Amino acid sequence: MSRWGQVLGATAGVLVGAGLLYGTYLTVTPVLFPEGAAAAPAASPSASSSPSATAVAADGCDWASLKGKERPAVLKNEPDGLPKARRMTDETWECVDESWAVEVHSAGGDTWRPGGTAQALYLAAPDGDLLKLFDLRTDVAVVVLESDIDARLAWTARTTDSDASQVVQVELDSGLVVDAWGGDGVPSLQRNKKGVIRSVEPLGPYEGGGTLWAGYSSAGTLQSLFVRDGGADFRTFAAQKALDNLVDDGAVNGKGGSGLEAWTSKAATTAVFLAQRLDDSGKAAGSTGAGTWVVVDLVTDQWRLAAASLPAQLCTPAPGTYVPGTYNNPGELQAVCRKGGKERVYRLTVGGDPVEVDAGGP
């Protein structure tokens, strides 16, 4: 699991307060803006140096060939603990390509601390030189999830000491932050009523093309999948409408909340979603013993439904387990099922009955 995946395991799905919404992401105005663009609102202005030197760059600029004063000047009077960095300029963008990286660096050994640790967003050149894009708020930790240098975009996650999480889209050349990014290409389970997106992360390239993204529940379990084709273009799989209809019709996850549980194959070619039905007629709410499977071929975008035979407990995927089979025959899915404080382990199959086992595992 990625570094952010580990963070999500503890913080996924928690709604952020109004203080994390658009317009309060930056602590100062960005270092640069495209021609004619207005500055994004700043939350709490602070002092910042403003060197006047600019890079000598032209179309097809080769950063490695720029020496000494040909590169932008090093920033002075930066907060203690932030790394040495140059000022970013409009001209320098001519030197930037996909070999560059977007990074967050924080004062104090890159360890963010609640209450005021300075942090900023940078471009890292292939030779290790850093160019500062803009300062970031100090009341949230920021992690870069994915970037698209050609589109001048990045997606960053925010967490706080209250275990809140939110993912935003950042325009690298302007500093503009977008909360409701992705449009209908992000599953509704990951968006609140204002369109703010929470608890998502990229899983990496996959056979279907683009980047596969995952969405998590408040308990940190996988509940949705979607794709970034390129730039700011996101899309859901064809099965998403059926999944949304199941949730709207009362499907719950392993915690009894509105949602789904999901398994994927290790190669991210097959996904199996489980929509469970809640039986709350007794003292300890559990499963009705019936539900719906949604099996998805992530490469061809095919999907199918099947009735699910389930234990009386609500189930979640056993940690570290995957879909062992294929779209046509997913095989046995390992699940941890709970009711009334009691926990049992089952092997679930599409089209078969649950089988209790002593312990979960691959």
Side-chain angles (χ1 to χ4, degrees):
M1 181 176 286
S2 68
R3 176 166 60 125
W4 177 235
Q6 297 169 357
V7 174
L8 280 173
T11 64
V14 183
L15 283 172
V16 295
L20 300 189
L21 299 181
Y22 166 70
T24 58
Y25 183 68
L26 308 181
T27 55
V28 296
T29 53
V31 175
L32 62 93
F33 292 93
E35 184 176 353
S44 53
S46 60
S48 179
S49 56
S50 302
S52 58
T54 59
V56 177
D59 290 344
C61 162
D62 178 15
W63 176 259
S65 69
L66 299 180
K67 307 297 181 181
K69 293 184 179 180
E70 293 179 327
R71 297 188 176 188
V74 173
L75 291 166
K76 305 296 183 181
N77 303 318
E78 286 290 274
D80 290 340
L82 288 182
K84 175 182 175 182
R86 299 180 183 276
R87 173 182 175 140
M88 185 63 187
T89 67
D90 288 311
E91 293 84 358
T92 308
W93 277 110
E94 296 290 342
C95 308
V96 179
D97 58 28
E98 287 295 332
S99 66
W100 291 52
V102 181
E103 299 177 352
V104 171
H105 290 279
S106 177
D110 277 344
T111 301
W112 175 82
R113 298 182 300 275
T117 303
Q119 57 185 343
L121 196 67
Y122 301 85
L123 281 176
D127 61 5
D129 225 350
L130 293 178
L131 289 93
K132 184 177 181 181
L133 295 174
F134 39 76
D135 291 295
L136 301 173
R137 290 171 45 171
T138 60
D139 61 336
V140 292
V142 179
V143 177
V144 177
L145 300 181
E146 187 179 22
S147 62
D148 188 325
I149 297 295
D150 284 344
R152 299 188 186 181
L153 294 172
W155 293 267
T156 65
R158 305 166 173 176
T159 63
T160 72
D161 56 346
S162 61
D163 288 341
S165 68
Q166 180 188 4
V167 177
V168 296
Q169 178 178 287
V170 183
E171 294 183 2
L172 299 176
D173 53 0
S174 70
L176 178 67
V177 175
V178 181
D179 297 299
W181 51 272
D184 293 336
V186 178
S188 58
L189 280 175
Q190 308 308 142
R191 292 184 276 117
N192 67 11
K193 292 181 180 179
K194 294 183 178 180
V196 174
I197 296 172
R198 59 204 183 192
S199 308
V200 298
E201 69 163 342
L203 298 181
Y206 80 116
E207 286 187 33
T211 303
L212 184 65
W213 279 63
Y216 300 89
S217 70
S218 59
T221 59
L222 180 67
Q223 66 178 3
S224 61
L225 294 167
F226 58 107
V227 176
R228 186 176 75 85
D229 286 320
D233 295 330
F234 288 80
R235 62 178 170 86
T236 57
F237 290 95
Q240 191 59 51
K241 184 172 179 59
L243 294 169
D244 289 341
N245 288 340
L246 287 167
V247 173
D248 291 342
D249 197 35
V252 298
N253 57 31
K255 292 292 186 178
S258 178
L260 306 159
E261 297 290 347
W263 293 255
T264 66
S265 59
K266 284 188 176 182
T269 56
T270 303
V272 180
F273 294 85
L274 176 59
Q276 301 171 86
R277 293 291 176 178
L278 184 64
D279 179 8
D280 56 3
S281 60
K283 292 183 179 180
S287 168
T288 60
T292 303
W293 295 111
V294 182
V295 186
V296 183
D297 186 320
L298 300 175
V299 179
T300 65
D301 205 8
Q302 292 178 295
W303 61 279
R304 60 189 176 91
L305 299 174
S309 177
L310 304 171
Q313 302 89 358
L314 291 175
C315 301
T316 60
T321 61
Y322 297 87
V323 175
T326 64
Y327 171 74
N328 292 322
N329 183 18
E332 295 179 331
L333 306 174
Q334 308 295 307
V336 178
C337 307
R338 303 173 179 87
K339 181 179 181 181
K342 295 183 179 180
E343 183 177 286
R344 295 179 179 177
V345 179
Y346 286 87
R347 292 183 178 179
L348 308 178
T349 55
V350 177
D353 294 325
V355 177
E356 186 173 0
V357 294
D358 292 334

